[in-house]
Amino acid sequence: GEASDKIYDSITYGLNPTMQVSLFVPVGNLAENTRFDLQDADLVVSGIAGKAFELLAYRGEQDWDDPEQDYSFRPVTDQPVTDYPPAVMILSYGSGDIAGMDEGNLTLYRLGNSGWEVATCPNYDVQRFPDENLLVVPLCKASTFVLSDQQPEMQREIFLPVVSR
């Protein structure tokens, strides 16, 4: 019920001792109370830096047990989309986290309906700061994310038959 005096609100999550994710959410885009959580994802993905992680969004004040799927950081409105800035995710990493990867091609991927896709909001650019080991990504949707220098592939579970006597 109170107006916020902040432009962005933030949360930070450590993926490991040298890799960290910080999310900055534009408070003016939120139409109602919204809780955001960052946590490890229960996925096996090869060829990524660190591990897969989830950004969960819970809207309203009553149903905070079920996150909203594909939560959009931009409200549905008649106003131009440029009136609502995207959320921003900053990933910091150690040199060991990206060993064997091309740092100039590091990209944040989100898990969409048809697999892994680039997470960056359309019409926005990723900012890379290789000397500081930082990647700054404008986001439009919450999802499951991975950091890699190439589009990852999902690991398929293989179920073997059980033979017993």
Side-chain angles (χ1 to χ4, degrees):
E2 295 181 23
S4 176
D5 58 350
K6 297 187 219 176
I7 296 174
Y8 280 88
D9 204 357
S10 66
I11 60 171
T12 300
Y13 182 69
L15 294 169
N16 65 37
T18 58
M19 195 168 179
Q20 182 171 290
V21 176
S22 297
L23 175 71
F24 296 85
V25 178
V27 177
N29 290 10
L30 305 177
E32 58 188 312
N33 286 340
T34 308
R35 184 183 98 210
F36 296 99
D37 289 336
L38 286 163
Q39 65 183 31
D40 291 352
D42 191 20
L43 288 177
V44 176
V45 185
S46 61
I48 64 171
K51 53 190 165 188
F53 62 96
E54 294 177 305
L55 170 57
L56 305 174
Y58 302 85
R59 286 197 325 174
E61 295 185 22
Q62 296 178 9
D63 193 21
W64 283 22
D65 294 327
D66 296 314
E68 183 174 322
Q69 296 299 314
D70 289 327
Y71 175 85
S72 176
F73 290 104
R74 293 175 157 177
V76 177
T77 179
D78 294 335
Q79 299 292 326
V81 73
T82 54
D83 289 352
Y84 298 97
V88 176
M89 187 173 281
I90 299 176
L91 295 105
S92 64
Y93 50 87
S95 297
D97 295 317
I98 60 166
M101 294 185 179
D102 180 356
E103 190 171 9
N105 287 333
L106 280 180
T107 303
L108 185 66
Y109 292 92
R110 70 179 289 277
L111 187 56
N113 292 334
S114 58
W116 294 105
E117 55 193 41
V118 175
T120 309
C121 254
N123 302 318
Y124 285 88
D125 294 324
V126 171
Q127 300 297 312
R128 291 178 171 83
F129 301 94
D131 292 339
E132 289 82 26
N133 289 350
L134 290 174
L135 190 72
V136 180
V137 182
L139 291 182
C140 289
K141 289 188 173 186
S143 186
T144 300
F145 298 95
V146 295
L147 181 64
S148 183
D149 65 343
Q150 59 187 343
Q151 187 170 10
E153 293 184 23
M154 291 292 292
Q155 297 289 345
R156 306 272 185 224
E157 290 186 43
I158 300 173
F159 297 98
L160 300 175
V162 175
V163 178
S164 63
R165 289 186 181 195

